[in-house]
Structure formats: structure tokens, C-alpha cells
């Protein structure tokens, strides 16, 4: 009984520290909007990078021809080719392949990583079928989705600011990632030109806009989290270039690095951050994204074991292994609707090697998942609300325009309680009238096709 009391105390403490009531979410949303302004005003003016993407026009639908895309940004990378048929033909044909990156390459050398990617791409190109047509005498062109913070210097060049999401290769930091990829393509003997360097948010924004002209922003909730949106170029004080013809500029917010005293942080978050590959950075991402949610839960369960012998007197050795409990495991436990919570029992056994858990214990585990997932989802909703505020789309307007947010990422796609909490929280924050015109649209792998569309829009042959 004493044991349960202590476990309950840990749970209650967690619940209190993770609380994100409406007033606090409003503070977070306000802080996001304020930081957006600051990041646009000056380089380094904010935790939010607010990176100028050099994408000043989004796909129109006129794009034509064969284009490739490569998407690197998490544990998998994807290669894609698409035959675009212009206004009438749209996407004539599309093929995609997903390849997982061996863990040792994520912390090895730059050349090894890019050679691996180029080799996979070369293999994919060699399987190009008859349905795809490259115009006579043309070079194949590629949109490169590289979902790490990059300082763009043009639409097709940019240097890596830092790695995130478990990647860590020092020599790549500061290097032009297009040059790195292009040399690797040369080493493979693959004749292909990178005509657009974007990240997944910008790819998703482009792909989303191709499908729906009311798309104004894109959000990624996958291994990491980020957002991009369309800004008026004359509202970007730090932009000293010519004003683009469209008057628009797409901004890559790098919102994963947001932080604020209003964020509900716990001892678990602090320890996770301190022991991470990038301490002090990506604080918002560490509260929200798929890479971290399961790990936060593991840390809470470990504490409950240490303080309250949750799983018996000995600490199950696997529970001490960082990142062993993945967010998909957490999500499966959280969605368990069986009366005896058998999926929870099975996951505890299979993932953590903990046998014979009682129903009471399983309920406690679900309660931990619930607190951690809902905090993340509510904070993500507050981030979106902040962006809508900056765009002036958080208040009722006389013209009845829709506001569409293109969403991508495995966390949002598969973690139903997370996505439902996000949507209901956003509704709660916006109120009925405004939220009736705000739509979150799942753009499943929109970033791949988006990058191909941007490669087409920035073709050397235009
Ligand atoms: P990436 O973000 O690496 O480009 P995805 O968008 O496919 O790739 O997202 C993958 C991430 O989504 C995984 O790292 C995981 O955190 C999360 N995820 C995948 N499946 C699930 C699931 N069933 N439940 C919860 N989270 C999931
Ligand atoms: Mg992705």
C-alpha cells in the first residue's frame, strides 16, 4: 500500500508539472508569435531560426517533366521520382522507395553517410521504367529534402548549422550539404543536378499548396518537429535582397528549438536534455516529438521503480537503457482498450522484459503515457496557434477564407490520441467561429513530392 502511495505521488507530481491549461497555452502561443517577429528582425535574434528558404513561389500546377527527390531527415530516407504532366496531367506517375540508415552512419563520417545515400539513389535511378521520360539531352534534376537546420545561401545551396534527431557528424557542420551530396553523386558516376535544397516542412508546404491553394503553413510531427509558412517578404527586416516578384518568402521556422519559461518542464525533461546529444537545444522538440515521448515515459517509469518498486524490488535492467521504449510502443500501450490492458502487459514484457504486471500497474503506465502525450499535443497546438496569430488568422475575418495547415509525420499520422488532442486543443484556443475555417490536412509524405515540385520550379532549363 505504501508502495502505491509513492507511485501515485510520482504520478501526481508529474501531472502537476506537465499541466498545460488554456492560460498557459495562450502564453506559449504569444511567446511563439513574439519570437517569430524577433527571428525575422535580425539574424540570431531569437531561439527561432526563422530561416529564409529562398523559396519565393510555391508550385502552380504547371510543372512538367521527370523529377527526382531525396528526403533525408530521420531514421529513414526516401527516394522518389515523379512524372509531372502540367495543369491537365498533374502527377502522371510516381514511385518511391524507403531505405533505413544504419545507425553507425549517423555518427560516422560525412563521406560515408553521403556515399551510402548516393549509392541508394543510383540504384533507384537504374530501375527507372518506361513510364518516365527525360527530355532528350537533359540532365536529371533532384529536389533534396534535408530536414536539419541549414543556413540557406540560395535555393540550391546551404550549410548545415547543426545536426538534430540523433545525428552527430562534426565535419558536416558548416559544410554545404548540396556540395557534399553532389560530390557523392559524382563518385557514384550519377549524372544528376540538385536544383532545390529544402527541408521537410518546406517540401510539405509545397506539396500541400499543389493540392490545395489555401495551404499557408506546414507542420511536421515525426521523429522531430518543425514548421514553415508563407511570409510577406516586406515583413522580413533581416532580408536585404531584392523583393521577390511574388512578394512572398517561405520561412523555415526551426520551431523545434523554441523555448520559453512558460513551457511546463519537469525533472525528467531536464535530465533527458542534459544527457542528450544536443543539451540546451531543441527544448520544444524534446517535449513534443516522436523521438522523445517514449523516452520521457521510460524515465518516469524508472523513477517510479526506484522510488516505489513499481515493478518489484529489483530494477528491470532494460528499463535503464535510454531510448529503449520507443514512441510507437508508448502509443500502442496508450491505445490499449482491452479490459485487462493486455497490450500494455505484452509491451512491458517484450520491450522492457518485465513479466507478470498487475492491472493496477498497467493502469499507472497508461496514465503516464496519457500525461506525456497530451502535454506534447497541447504544446504543439499552442505552437500552431502562435503561427496563426502571426498570420492574423487567429481572429474572425469578414472574407471567408479557409486556412489550411499541411501536416506530415508519423507521430501525427499514427498516434491518434496525440492528433485528436492537438486538434481539440487548437479548437479550444481558436474558438468555434475561427476554427470552423481552419483545417489541418494530413499531407502524407507530401514533402517528397513537394521537393520534386520545387526542383521542377527551379529547373536549370526554365
Ligand atoms: P521522420 O520524422 O523520421 O521523417 P516519419 O514522419 O515517418 O519519419 O515519423 C517517424 C516517427 O513517427 C517515428 O520516429 C516515431 O517517433 C513516430 N511514429 C511512427 N509510428 C508511430 C506510432 N504508431 N505511434 C506513435 N508514433 C509513431
Ligand atoms: Mg519526414
Amino acid at each position: 500500500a505504501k508502495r502505491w502511495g509513492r507511485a501515485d505521488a510520482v504520478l501526481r507530481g508529474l501531472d502537476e508539472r506537465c499541466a498545460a491549461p488554456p492560460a498557459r497555452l495562450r502564453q506559449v502561443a504569444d511567446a511563439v508569435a513574439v519570437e517569430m517577429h524577433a527571428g525575422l528582425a535580425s539574424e540570431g535574434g531569437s531561439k527561432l531560426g526563422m530561416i529564409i528558404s529562398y523559396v519565393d513561389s510555391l508550385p502552380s500546377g504547371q510543372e512538367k517533366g521527370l523529377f527526382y527527390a531525396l528526403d533525408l531527415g530521420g531514421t529513414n530516407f526516401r527516394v522518389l521520382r515523379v512524372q509531372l504532366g502540367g495543369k491537365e496531367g498533374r502527377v502522371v506517375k510516381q514511385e518511391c522507395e524507403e531505405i533505413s540508415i544504419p545507425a553507425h552512419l549517423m555518427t560516422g563520417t560525412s563521406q560515408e553517410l553521403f556515399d551510402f545515400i548516393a549509392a541508394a539513389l543510383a540504384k533507384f535511378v537504374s530501375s527507372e521504367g518506361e513510364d518516365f521520360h527525360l527530355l532528350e539531352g537533359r540532365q536529371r534534376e533532384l529536389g533534396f529534402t534535408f530536414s536539419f537546420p541549414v543556413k540557406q545561401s540560395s535555393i540550391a545551396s546551404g550549410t548545415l548549422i547543426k545536426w538534430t534527431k540523433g545525428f552527430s557528424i562534426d565535419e558536416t557542420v558548416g559544410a554545404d550539404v548540396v556540395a557534399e551530396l553532389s560530390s557523392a553523386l559524382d563518385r557514384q558516376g550519377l549524372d544528376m543536378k540538385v536544383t532545390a535544397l529544402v527541408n521537410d516542412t518546406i517540401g510539405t508546404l509545397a506539396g500541400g499548396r499543389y493540392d490545395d491553394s489555401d495551404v499557408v503553413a506546414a507542420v511536421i510531427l515525426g521523429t522531430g518537429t518543425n514548421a514553415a509558412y508563407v511570409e510577406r517578404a516586406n515583413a522580413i527586416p533581416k532580408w536585404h535582397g531584392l523583393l521577390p516578384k511574388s512578394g512572398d518568402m517561405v520561412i523555415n521556422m526551426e520551431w523545434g528549438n523554441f523555448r520559453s519559461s512558460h513551457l511546463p518542464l519537469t525533472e525528467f525533461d531536464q535530465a533527458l536534455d542534459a544527457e542528450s546529444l544536443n543539451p540546451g537545444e531543441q527544448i520544444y522538440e524534446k517535449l513534443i516529438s516522436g523521438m522523445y515521448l517514449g523516452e520521457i515515459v521510460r524515465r518516469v517509469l524508472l523513477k517510479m521503480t526506484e522510488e516505489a518498486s513499481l515493478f518489484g524490488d529489483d530494477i528491470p535492467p532494460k528499463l535503464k537503457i535510454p531510448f529503449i521504449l520507443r514512441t510507437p510502443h508508448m502509443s500502442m500501450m496508450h491505445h490499449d482498450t482491452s479490459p485487462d490492458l493486455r497490450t500494455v502487459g505484452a509491451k512491458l514484457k517484450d520491450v522492457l522484459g518485465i513479466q507478470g504486471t498487475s492491472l493496477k500497474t498497467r493502469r499507472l503506465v497508461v496514465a503516464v503515457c496519457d500525461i506525456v502525450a497530451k502535454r506534447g499535443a497541447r504544446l504543439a497546438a499552442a505552437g500552431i496557434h502562435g503561427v496563426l496569430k502571426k498570420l492574423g488568422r487567429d481572429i474572425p475575418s469578414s472574407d471567408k477564407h479557409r486556412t489550411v495547415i499541411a501536416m506530415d509525420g508519423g507521430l501525427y499520422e499514427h498516434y491518434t490520441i496525440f492528433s485528436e488532442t492537438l486538434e481539440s486543443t487548437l479548437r479550444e484556443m481558436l474558438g468555434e467561429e475561427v476554427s470552423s475555417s481552419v483545417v489541418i490536412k494530413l499531407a502524407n509524405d507530401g514533402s517528397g513530392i513537394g521537393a520534386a515540385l520545387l526542383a521542377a520550379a527551379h529547373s536549370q532549363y526554365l
Side-chain angles (χ1 to χ4, degrees):
K2 203 156 151 211
R3 192 149 77 77
W4 281 110
R6 276 188 307 230
D8 256 343
V10 175
L11 186 71
R12 268 180 287 122
L14 180 73
D15 197 26
E16 266 165 40
R17 302 300 296 268
C18 288
R24 182 173 274 243
L25 292 181
R26 271 195 298 278
Q27 289 171 316
V28 171
D30 286 342
V32 168
V34 166
E35 291 297 320
M36 288 174 78
H37 277 282
L40 292 173
S42 64
E43 211 59 72
S46 165
K47 288 277 169 198
L48 295 180
M50 302 302 284
I51 295 167
I52 291 168
S53 69
Y54 289 84
V55 172
D56 57 14
S57 60
L58 288 167
S60 63
Q62 307 284 1
E63 294 76 12
K64 257 186 162 158
L66 167 62
F67 295 92
Y68 276 81
L70 192 160
D71 179 350
L72 175 70
T75 42
N76 290 315
F77 84 95
R78 280 173 275 252
V79 288
L80 171 141
R81 67 177 144 251
V82 60
Q83 188 74 40
L84 298 169
K87 207 86 210 161
E88 302 303 313
R90 306 289 291 181
V91 174
V92 178
K93 188 168 169 121
Q94 165 181 0
E95 280 173 354
C96 177
E97 215 169 277
E98 188 162 315
I99 300 125
S100 69
I101 299 184
H104 72 271
L105 292 183
M106 295 164 67
T107 54
T109 71
S110 211
Q111 180 158 342
E112 279 174 326
L113 176 66
F114 282 97
D115 279 347
F116 178 82
I117 291 164
L121 180 62
K123 185 158 166 265
F124 181 64
V125 171
S126 70
S127 72
E128 183 184 291
E130 305 236 308
D131 295 336
F132 294 93
H133 313 283
L134 190 68
L135 284 180
E136 185 71 25
R138 285 202 173 180
Q139 200 180 10
R140 285 186 181 73
E141 293 178 313
L142 173 97
F144 182 19
T145 308
F146 183 77
S147 305
F148 301 95
V150 161
K151 169 108 178 75
Q152 294 274 154
S153 35
S154 72
I155 180 68
S157 63
T159 55
L160 177 65
I161 297 169
K162 62 177 182 183
W163 289 106
T164 55
K165 295 176 279 190
F167 280 78
S168 178
I169 306 170
D170 284 343
E171 55 183 334
T172 325
V173 176
D176 180 349
V177 293
V178 172
E180 297 282 303
L181 175 62
S182 301
S183 329
L185 295 177
D186 285 345
R187 286 193 293 273
Q188 289 294 325
L190 182 58
D191 182 27
M192 190 180 271
K193 187 176 173 70
V194 181
T195 63
L197 170 67
V198 296
N199 74 5
D200 50 359
T201 52
I202 290 164
T204 301
L205 186 60
R209 179 64 75 84
Y210 185 73
D211 283 337
D212 184 334
S213 59
D214 290 329
V215 167
V216 295
V219 172
I220 304 292
L221 287 162
T223 306
T225 184
N226 192 11
Y229 75 106
V230 184
E231 185 56 276
R232 287 169 296 114
N234 62 13
I236 310 173
K238 72 178 178 182
W239 171 252
H240 299 300
L242 291 173
L243 281 188
K245 235 195 285 161
S246 65
D248 292 332
M249 179 58 77
V250 172
I251 299 294
N252 162 21
M253 290 179 62
E254 288 300 333
W255 87 359
N257 197 43
F258 174 70
R259 72 183 303 168
S260 153
S261 57
H262 301 300
L263 291 175
L265 288 172
T266 66
E267 57 180 293
F268 306 105
D269 305 305
Q270 270 145 8
L272 181 153
D273 175 49
E275 292 162 33
S276 70
L277 287 170
N278 52 353
E281 291 173 15
Q282 302 293 107
I283 299 299
Y284 188 57
E285 177 164 274
K286 286 169 182 162
L287 291 170
I288 291 179
S289 79
M291 175 155 177
Y292 302 102
L293 294 182
E295 170 64 4
I296 300 170
V297 169
R298 181 195 68 85
R299 286 172 177 272
V300 176
L301 296 182
L302 180 60
K303 161 112 176 194
M304 288 179 160
T305 308
E306 285 165 351
E307 304 229 326
S309 310
L310 182 65
F311 302 116
D313 291 336
D314 299 325
I315 297 173
K318 284 193 176 164
L319 190 55
K320 292 188 190 160
I321 303 173
F323 293 99
I324 194 169
L325 184 69
R326 315 294 311 181
T327 302
H329 302 137
M330 166 189 178
S331 155
M332 284 185 73
M333 295 197 290
H334 198 178
H335 288 103
D336 187 354
T337 53
S338 66
D340 56 346
L341 296 176
R342 76 184 59 152
T343 304
V344 179
K347 286 287 146 200
L348 291 174
K349 177 165 167 286
D350 297 344
V351 179
L352 298 173
I354 302 167
Q355 310 244 25
T357 43
S358 70
L359 182 56
K360 208 166 167 186
T361 302
R362 294 175 186 181
R363 285 210 182 105
L364 199 60
V365 172
V366 174
V368 174
C369 295
D370 197 62
I371 292 169
V372 172
K374 287 182 177 165
R375 176 184 64 166
R378 289 176 67 79
L379 291 174
I384 294 172
H385 191 222
V387 175
L388 294 178
K389 237 178 222 281
K390 175 71 180 72
L391 290 171
R393 302 271 183 133
D394 62 321
I395 43 175
S397 79
S398 45
D399 54 348
K400 293 278 170 221
H401 55 59
R402 290 160 77 236
T403 298
V404 183
I405 295 144
M407 178 74 78
D408 196 11
L411 178 68
Y412 187 87
E413 189 185 347
H414 300 296
Y415 203 148
T416 310
I417 296 174
F418 185 97
S419 55
E420 286 177 356
T421 304
L422 188 159
E423 283 180 41
S424 62
T425 306
L426 188 61
R427 266 202 307 278
E428 180 185 308
M429 294 186 81
L430 290 170
E432 272 320 304
E433 188 182 350
V434 176
S435 57
S436 66
S437 66
V438 173
V439 181
I440 295 179
K441 214 171 170 178
L442 189 66
N444 207 345
D445 198 21
S447 75
I449 186 109
L453 287 163
L454 289 168
H458 297 91
S459 165
Q460 62 190 314
Y461 302 109
L462 286 180

